Amino acid sequence: MKKLLSLISVFFIIIPCCTGMICRQSYTDVSKNTNPFDSFEVGLITEFSSQYLEEYFDHSLENDSKYILKVKPKGKINFSFKCYSEPVSVIAVYKGEGITNGDNIEIVRYSSTIFWDTNNTDSINTGFVNKMNANEEYLVFLSDKLDYRDKTVYKTTSCVIAPIFSYTHHDNSVVNGKNNISSIEYINVKNNEFFVGDNYSLNVLERAKEKFVLKYT
């Protein structure tokens, strides 16, 4: 099961990356925009991939994560050419060594790739989970500490979705992808916590969220 989930994760990352190799070599500095995510399209998770998540959440996610933390976002996103990171403050440490309450770290999503397309449709892989909001607290599952000289960066645990759950309730809308493709302009789902293309996927993610936020409170 874990191997199958890994293959699905690779599928959703490798295919866009191959596309990205033929994309333009320059890009607009979206970080200068007031709402930079409004410039992108995002992917929608559907039953094809979410059907395997419930078992993974029940049996593997916690074991696969070296760090389980409650964090408070700084309200800022740092963009680079191909990815982005989210600065946060650590509120509670439920699992992991070498990190304590009050530490300031940055989180990079396992799949946080930006694709600068040639047809004026730029897209961002968020792991089907919205960016973290400054006025909320989040439960995050992290795998590795990355080697950066000037900042402390951790990567989310490898999973089809980014394992980031808000402690705040969100009313998530199920939306249809653009032109029957599992993607949509971010501005159309910006109030969602999860980017979902069917009710099955929404139910899987909301059940997982309820389970984890109750356990790690």
Side-chain angles (χ1 to χ4, degrees), residues 29-84:
D29 185 1
V30 296
S31 63
K32 295 180 179 179
N33 298 340
T34 303
N35 300 299
F37 267 63
D38 290 355
S39 305
F40 295 108
E41 287 189 0
V42 295
L44 302 169
I45 191 169
T46 60
E47 185 175 348
F48 171 78
S49 49
S50 62
Q51 62 182 307
Y52 305 104
L53 278 174
E54 201 155 20
E55 182 176 345
Y56 181 74
F57 288 149
D58 287 341
H59 302 291
S60 301
L61 177 59
E62 292 165 289
N63 291 332
D64 289 351
S65 301
K66 294 180 182 177
Y67 310 90
I68 302 176
L69 313 173
K70 180 190 283 190
V71 300
K72 177 79 171 177
K74 298 282 191 178
K76 177 184 178 183
I77 295 178
N78 294 328
F79 286 91
S80 65
F81 178 56
K82 284 292 186 181
C83 67
Y84 67 95

Coordinates of all heavy atoms in Angstrom, one line a residue, residues 29-84:
D29 N 7.8 37.8 -10.9 CA 8.0 37.7 -9.5 C 6.6 37.9 -8.8 O 6.3 39.0 -8.4 CB 9.0 38.7 -9.0 CG 9.4 38.6 -7.6 OD1 8.8 37.7 -6.9 OD2 10.2 39.4 -7.1
V30 N 5.9 36.8 -8.6 CA 4.6 36.9 -8.0 C 4.6 37.3 -6.6 O 3.6 37.7 -6.0 CB 3.8 35.5 -8.2 CG1 3.6 35.2 -9.6 CG2 4.6 34.4 -7.5
S31 N 5.7 37.2 -5.9 CA 5.8 37.5 -4.5 C 5.6 39.0 -4.3 O 5.3 39.5 -3.2 CB 7.2 37.2 -3.9 OG 8.2 37.9 -4.6
K32 N 5.7 39.8 -5.4 CA 5.4 41.2 -5.3 C 3.9 41.6 -5.3 O 3.5 42.7 -5.0 CB 6.1 42.0 -6.4 CG 7.6 41.9 -6.4 CD 8.3 42.7 -7.5 CE 9.8 42.6 -7.4 NZ 10.4 43.3 -8.6
N33 N 3.1 40.6 -5.7 CA 1.7 40.8 -5.7 C 1.1 40.7 -4.3 O 1.6 40.0 -3.5 CB 1.0 39.7 -6.6 CG 1.5 39.7 -8.0 OD1 2.0 40.8 -8.5 ND2 1.3 38.6 -8.8
T34 N 0.0 41.4 -4.1 CA -0.7 41.4 -2.8 C -1.2 40.0 -2.5 O -1.1 39.5 -1.4 CB -1.9 42.4 -2.8 OG1 -1.4 43.7 -3.1 CG2 -2.6 42.4 -1.5
N35 N -1.8 39.3 -3.5 CA -2.3 38.0 -3.4 C -1.7 37.1 -4.4 O -2.3 36.8 -5.4 CB -3.8 38.0 -3.5 CG -4.5 38.8 -2.5 OD1 -4.4 38.6 -1.3 ND2 -5.3 39.8 -2.9
P36 N -0.4 36.7 -4.2 CA 0.3 36.0 -5.2 C -0.3 34.7 -5.7 O -0.2 34.3 -6.9 CB 1.7 35.7 -4.6 CG 1.5 35.8 -3.1 CD 0.4 36.8 -2.9
F37 N -1.0 33.9 -4.8 CA -1.6 32.7 -5.3 C -2.7 32.9 -6.3 O -3.0 31.9 -7.0 CB -2.2 31.9 -4.0 CG -1.2 31.0 -3.4 CD1 0.0 31.4 -2.9 CD2 -1.5 29.6 -3.4 CE1 0.9 30.5 -2.3 CE2 -0.6 28.7 -2.9 CZ 0.6 29.2 -2.3
D38 N -3.3 34.1 -6.4 CA -4.3 34.4 -7.3 C -3.8 34.2 -8.8 O -4.6 34.2 -9.7 CB -4.9 35.7 -7.1 CG -5.8 35.8 -5.8 OD1 -5.9 34.8 -5.2 OD2 -6.2 36.9 -5.5
S39 N -2.5 34.2 -8.9 CA -1.9 34.1 -10.3 C -1.9 32.7 -10.8 O -1.5 32.4 -12.0 CB -0.5 34.6 -10.2 OG -0.4 35.9 -9.7
F40 N -2.3 31.7 -10.0 CA -2.0 30.3 -10.3 C -3.3 29.5 -10.5 O -4.4 29.9 -10.0 CB -1.2 29.6 -9.2 CG 0.2 30.1 -9.1 CD1 0.5 30.9 -8.0 CD2 1.2 29.9 -10.0 CE1 1.8 31.4 -7.8 CE2 2.5 30.3 -9.9 CZ 2.8 31.1 -8.8
E41 N -3.2 28.3 -11.1 CA -4.1 27.3 -11.1 C -3.6 26.2 -10.1 O -2.4 26.1 -9.9 CB -4.3 26.6 -12.4 CG -5.1 27.4 -13.4 CD -5.5 26.7 -14.7 OE1 -5.1 25.5 -14.8 OE2 -6.1 27.3 -15.5
V42 N -4.5 25.5 -9.4 CA -4.2 24.4 -8.5 C -4.9 23.1 -8.9 O -5.9 23.2 -9.6 CB -4.5 24.8 -7.0 CG1 -3.7 26.0 -6.6 CG2 -6.0 25.1 -6.9
G43 N -4.3 22.0 -8.4 CA -4.9 20.7 -8.7 C -6.0 20.4 -7.8 O -6.0 20.9 -6.7
L44 N -6.9 19.5 -8.2 CA -8.0 19.0 -7.4 C -7.8 17.5 -7.2 O -7.5 16.7 -8.2 CB -9.3 19.2 -8.1 CG -9.7 20.6 -8.5 CD1 -10.9 20.7 -9.4 CD2 -10.0 21.4 -7.2
I45 N -7.9 17.0 -5.9 CA -7.7 15.6 -5.7 C -9.1 14.9 -5.9 O -10.1 15.5 -5.6 CB -7.2 15.3 -4.2 CG1 -6.9 13.8 -4.1 CG2 -8.3 15.8 -3.2 CD1 -6.1 13.5 -2.8
T46 N -9.0 13.7 -6.5 CA -10.2 13.0 -6.8 C -10.1 11.6 -6.3 O -9.1 11.2 -5.7 CB -10.5 12.9 -8.4 OG1 -9.4 12.3 -9.0 CG2 -10.6 14.3 -8.9
E47 N -11.2 10.8 -6.4 CA -11.2 9.5 -5.8 C -10.1 8.6 -6.4 O -9.7 7.7 -5.7 CB -12.6 8.8 -6.1 CG -12.8 7.5 -5.5 CD -14.2 6.9 -5.7 OE1 -15.1 7.7 -6.2 OE2 -14.4 5.7 -5.4
F48 N -9.6 8.8 -7.6 CA -8.6 8.0 -8.1 C -7.4 7.9 -7.2 O -6.8 6.8 -7.0 CB -8.1 8.6 -9.5 CG -6.9 8.0 -10.0 CD1 -6.9 6.8 -10.7 CD2 -5.6 8.6 -9.9 CE1 -5.8 6.2 -11.2 CE2 -4.5 8.0 -10.4 CZ -4.5 6.8 -11.0
S49 N -7.0 9.0 -6.5 CA -5.9 9.0 -5.6 C -6.3 8.9 -4.1 O -5.6 8.4 -3.3 CB -5.0 10.2 -5.9 OG -5.7 11.3 -6.0
S50 N -7.5 9.5 -3.8 CA -7.8 9.6 -2.4 C -8.3 8.3 -1.8 O -8.4 8.1 -0.6 CB -8.9 10.7 -2.2 OG -10.1 10.4 -2.9
Q51 N -8.7 7.3 -2.7 CA -9.2 6.1 -2.2 C -8.1 5.3 -1.4 O -8.5 4.4 -0.6 CB -9.7 5.2 -3.4 CG -8.5 4.8 -4.4 CD -9.1 4.0 -5.5 OE1 -9.7 3.0 -5.3 NE2 -8.8 4.5 -6.8
Y52 N -6.9 5.6 -1.6 CA -5.8 4.9 -0.8 C -5.4 5.7 0.4 O -4.6 5.2 1.2 CB -4.6 4.8 -1.7 CG -4.9 4.1 -3.1 CD1 -5.0 4.8 -4.2 CD2 -5.1 2.7 -3.1 CE1 -5.3 4.2 -5.4 CE2 -5.4 2.1 -4.3 CZ -5.5 2.8 -5.5 OH -5.8 2.2 -6.6
L53 N -5.9 6.9 0.6 CA -5.4 7.7 1.7 C -5.9 7.3 3.1 O -5.2 7.4 4.0 CB -5.8 9.2 1.5 CG -4.9 10.0 0.5 CD1 -5.6 11.3 0.3 CD2 -3.5 10.1 1.0
E54 N -7.1 6.8 3.1 CA -7.7 6.5 4.4 C -6.8 5.4 5.2 O -6.5 5.6 6.4 CB -9.1 5.9 4.3 CG -9.9 6.1 5.6 CD -11.4 6.2 5.3 OE1 -11.8 5.8 4.2 OE2 -12.1 6.7 6.2
E55 N -6.4 4.4 4.5 CA -5.6 3.4 5.1 C -4.2 4.0 5.5 O -3.6 3.7 6.6 CB -5.4 2.2 4.2 CG -4.5 1.1 4.8 CD -4.4 -0.1 3.9 OE1 -5.2 -0.3 3.0 OE2 -3.5 -1.0 4.2
Y56 N -3.7 4.8 4.6 CA -2.4 5.4 4.9 C -2.5 6.3 6.2 O -1.6 6.3 7.1 CB -1.9 6.3 3.8 CG -0.6 6.9 4.0 CD1 0.6 6.2 4.0 CD2 -0.5 8.3 4.3 CE1 1.8 6.8 4.2 CE2 0.7 8.9 4.5 CZ 1.9 8.1 4.5 OH 3.1 8.7 4.8
F57 N -3.5 7.1 6.3 CA -3.7 8.0 7.5 C -3.9 7.1 8.7 O -3.3 7.5 9.8 CB -5.0 8.8 7.3 CG -4.9 9.9 6.3 CD1 -6.0 10.3 5.6 CD2 -3.7 10.6 6.1 CE1 -5.9 11.4 4.7 CE2 -3.6 11.6 5.2 CZ -4.7 12.0 4.5
D58 N -4.6 6.0 8.6 CA -4.8 5.2 9.8 C -3.6 4.4 10.3 O -3.4 4.2 11.5 CB -5.9 4.1 9.5 CG -7.3 4.8 9.4 OD1 -7.5 5.9 9.9 OD2 -8.2 4.2 8.8
H59 N -2.7 4.0 9.3 CA -1.6 3.1 9.7 C -0.2 3.6 9.5 O 0.7 3.0 10.1 CB -1.8 1.8 8.9 CG -3.1 1.1 9.2 ND1 -3.5 0.5 10.4 CD2 -4.2 0.9 8.3 CE1 -4.7 0.0 10.3 NE2 -5.2 0.3 9.1
S60 N 0.0 4.7 8.7 CA 1.4 5.0 8.3 C 1.8 6.4 8.5 O 3.0 6.6 8.7 CB 1.5 4.6 6.8 OG 1.3 3.2 6.6
L61 N 0.9 7.4 8.4 CA 1.3 8.8 8.4 C 2.1 9.1 9.6 O 3.2 9.8 9.5 CB 0.1 9.7 8.2 CG 0.5 11.2 8.2 CD1 1.5 11.6 7.1 CD2 -0.8 12.0 8.1
E62 N 1.6 8.8 10.8 CA 2.3 9.2 12.0 C 3.7 8.5 12.1 O 4.6 9.1 12.6 CB 1.4 8.8 13.2 CG 0.2 9.7 13.3 CD -0.9 9.2 14.2 OE1 -1.5 8.1 13.8 OE2 -1.1 9.8 15.3
N63 N 3.7 7.2 11.7 CA 5.0 6.5 11.8 C 6.0 7.0 10.8 O 7.2 7.1 11.1 CB 4.8 5.0 11.5 CG 4.0 4.3 12.7 OD1 4.1 4.7 13.8 ND2 3.3 3.3 12.3
D64 N 5.5 7.5 9.6 CA 6.4 8.0 8.6 C 6.9 9.4 8.9 O 7.9 9.8 8.3 CB 5.7 8.0 7.2 CG 5.5 6.6 6.7 OD1 6.1 5.6 7.3 OD2 4.8 6.5 5.7
S65 N 6.3 10.0 9.9 CA 6.7 11.4 10.2 C 7.7 11.5 11.3 O 7.4 10.9 12.4 CB 5.4 12.2 10.5 OG 4.5 12.2 9.5
K66 N 8.8 12.2 11.1 CA 9.8 12.3 12.2 C 9.3 13.4 13.1 O 9.8 13.4 14.3 CB 11.1 12.7 11.6 CG 11.8 11.6 10.7 CD 13.1 12.0 10.2 CE 13.7 11.0 9.3 NZ 15.0 11.4 8.7
Y67 N 8.5 14.3 12.7 CA 8.1 15.5 13.5 C 6.6 15.6 13.3 O 6.1 15.6 12.2 CB 8.8 16.8 13.1 CG 10.3 16.7 13.0 CD1 10.9 16.3 11.8 CD2 11.1 16.9 14.1 CE1 12.3 16.2 11.7 CE2 12.5 16.8 14.0 CZ 13.0 16.4 12.8 OH 14.4 16.3 12.7
I68 N 5.9 15.8 14.4 CA 4.5 16.2 14.4 C 4.3 17.4 15.3 O 4.6 17.4 16.5 CB 3.6 15.1 14.9 CG1 3.8 13.8 14.1 CG2 2.1 15.5 14.9 CD1 3.0 12.6 14.6
L69 N 3.9 18.5 14.7 CA 3.9 19.8 15.3 C 2.6 20.6 15.2 O 1.9 20.4 14.2 CB 5.0 20.7 14.7 CG 6.4 20.2 14.5 CD1 7.3 21.2 13.8 CD2 7.1 19.8 15.8
K70 N 2.3 21.4 16.2 CA 1.3 22.5 16.0 C 2.1 23.8 15.7 O 3.0 24.1 16.5 CB 0.4 22.6 17.3 CG -0.6 23.7 17.1 CD -1.3 24.0 18.4 CE -2.3 22.9 18.8 NZ -3.2 23.3 19.9
V71 N 1.7 24.5 14.7 CA 2.4 25.7 14.3 C 1.4 26.9 14.1 O 0.3 26.7 13.8 CB 3.2 25.5 13.0 CG1 4.3 24.3 13.3 CG2 2.4 25.1 11.8
K72 N 2.0 28.1 14.1 CA 1.3 29.3 13.8 C 2.0 30.0 12.6 O 3.2 30.4 12.8 CB 1.3 30.2 15.0 CG 0.6 31.6 14.8 CD -0.9 31.5 14.9 CE -1.5 32.9 14.9 NZ -3.0 32.8 14.8
P73 N 1.4 30.1 11.5 CA 2.0 30.8 10.3 C 2.3 32.2 10.6 O 1.7 32.9 11.4 CB 1.0 30.6 9.2 CG 0.1 29.5 9.7 CD 0.0 29.6 11.2
K74 N 3.4 32.7 9.9 CA 3.8 34.1 10.0 C 3.0 35.0 9.1 O 3.2 36.2 9.1 CB 5.3 34.2 9.7 CG 6.2 33.4 10.6 CD 6.4 34.2 11.9 CE 7.5 33.5 12.7 NZ 7.8 34.3 14.0
G75 N 2.2 34.4 8.2 CA 1.5 35.2 7.3 C 2.3 35.6 6.0 O 1.9 36.6 5.4
K76 N 3.3 34.9 5.7 CA 4.2 35.2 4.6 C 4.5 34.0 3.9 O 4.6 32.9 4.5 CB 5.5 35.9 5.1 CG 6.5 36.2 4.1 CD 7.8 36.8 4.7 CE 8.8 37.1 3.7 NZ 10.1 37.5 4.3
I77 N 4.7 34.1 2.6 CA 5.1 33.0 1.8 C 6.4 33.4 1.0 O 6.4 34.5 0.4 CB 4.1 32.5 0.8 CG1 2.9 32.0 1.5 CG2 4.6 31.5 -0.2 CD1 1.7 31.5 0.7
N78 N 7.4 32.6 1.1 CA 8.7 32.8 0.4 C 8.7 32.0 -0.9 O 8.7 30.8 -0.9 CB 9.9 32.5 1.3 CG 10.0 33.4 2.5 OD1 9.6 34.5 2.4 ND2 10.5 32.8 3.6
F79 N 8.8 32.7 -2.0 CA 8.8 32.1 -3.3 C 10.2 32.0 -3.9 O 11.0 33.0 -3.7 CB 8.0 32.9 -4.3 CG 6.5 32.7 -4.2 CD1 5.8 33.6 -3.3 CD2 5.8 31.7 -4.8 CE1 4.4 33.5 -3.2 CE2 4.4 31.6 -4.6 CZ 3.7 32.5 -3.8
S80 N 10.5 30.9 -4.5 CA 11.7 30.8 -5.3 C 11.3 30.5 -6.7 O 10.1 30.4 -7.0 CB 12.7 29.8 -4.8 OG 12.1 28.5 -4.9
F81 N 12.2 30.2 -7.6 CA 11.8 29.9 -9.0 C 10.8 28.8 -9.2 O 9.8 28.8 -9.9 CB 13.0 29.7 -9.9 CG 12.7 29.4 -11.3 CD1 11.9 30.3 -12.1 CD2 13.2 28.3 -11.9 CE1 11.6 30.0 -13.4 CE2 12.9 28.0 -13.3 CZ 12.1 28.9 -14.0
K82 N 11.1 27.7 -8.4 CA 10.3 26.4 -8.6 C 9.5 26.0 -7.4 O 8.9 24.9 -7.5 CB 11.3 25.3 -9.1 CG 11.7 25.4 -10.5 CD 10.5 25.1 -11.5 CE 11.0 25.1 -12.9 NZ 9.9 24.8 -13.8
C83 N 9.6 26.7 -6.3 CA 8.9 26.2 -5.1 C 8.6 27.4 -4.2 O 9.0 28.5 -4.5 CB 9.6 25.1 -4.4 SG 11.2 25.6 -3.6
Y84 N 8.0 27.1 -3.1 CA 7.7 28.1 -2.1 C 7.8 27.5 -0.7 O 7.7 26.2 -0.5 CB 6.3 28.7 -2.3 CG 5.2 27.8 -2.0 CD1 4.5 27.8 -0.8 CD2 4.7 26.9 -3.0 CE1 3.4 26.9 -0.6 CE2 3.6 26.1 -2.8 CZ 3.0 26.1 -1.6 OH 1.9 25.2 -1.4

